[in-house]
Amino acid sequence: IKQESNKLYRQDLTVEFFAIGDENAGDKAVLFYYQKENFNLDGSGSVFELKSEEITVTEYVLNGQLRGDAFKGYMIIVTDSRGEVIASKSTKDDWLQLADDLRKLPVGKTFDEDGQRCWPTRPRRYY
């Protein structure tokens, strides 16, 4: 995160990072990783770098179907000390609406298009 303004900003900021995947043989998404960290910017050109753990994605074949998860994208949200979103960037524009639900979701769990926790898609019969 890089400050582009020359104006000094002394308030605490919070960054949230979400890594999101997709089921290979289903219609659900998976929260791969979530990290939240506070930081400050010191002035023009100030940079804050967020480092995450390595994310492992597993794929396998079960009854002739490709199962497991695939990386779908990310979402980054920067909020000020009042909790107001001052910057965001995501792979899909509608993910920002799911942020409140994804904050409550345990890492590694699946969710539907509304951001609600759900069971993974069951394997289809292969015969």
Side-chain angles (χ1 to χ4, degrees):
I1 299 171
K2 182 178 180 181
Q3 182 175 354
E4 296 180 353
S5 170
N6 292 333
K7 190 174 183 180
L8 189 60
Y9 192 82
R10 296 178 189 233
Q11 303 298 321
D12 289 336
L13 297 172
T14 302
V15 62
E16 294 174 287
F17 171 67
F18 301 82
I20 300 171
D22 235 356
E23 288 182 322
N24 282 328
D27 59 348
K28 310 290 188 305
V30 181
L31 181 62
F32 282 148
Y33 188 76
Y34 172 71
Q35 184 175 353
K36 181 177 181 178
E37 198 165 321
N38 296 324
F39 69 99
N40 289 341
L41 295 172
D42 299 330
S44 180
S46 180
V47 175
F48 173 77
E49 188 173 320
L50 181 71
K51 297 187 187 237
S52 72
E53 298 174 11
E54 185 175 317
I55 300 168
T56 303
V57 179
T58 304
E59 289 184 334
Y60 57 94
V61 175
L62 177 67
N63 295 333
Q65 295 178 20
L66 179 63
R67 300 291 295 179
D69 306 312
F71 180 74
K72 187 173 187 177
Y74 66 91
M75 178 171 57
I76 298 172
I77 302 172
V78 179
T79 55
D80 62 10
S81 57
R82 301 169 298 164
E84 297 292 323
V85 175
I86 59 171
S88 66
K89 186 171 183 178
S90 66
T91 307
K92 288 184 68 179
D93 294 333
D94 59 340
W95 282 351
L96 192 57
Q97 300 169 2
L98 306 178
D100 288 334
D101 293 322
L102 295 181
R103 288 180 183 111
K104 300 172 195 167
L105 189 71
V107 171
K109 300 301 179 185
T110 56
F111 61 95
D112 60 14
E113 63 274 354
D114 297 324
Q116 300 300 310
R117 184 175 175 180
C118 60
W119 290 101
T121 304
R122 295 178 61 174
R124 292 185 208 105
R125 292 182 179 227
Y126 189 72
Y127 59 86

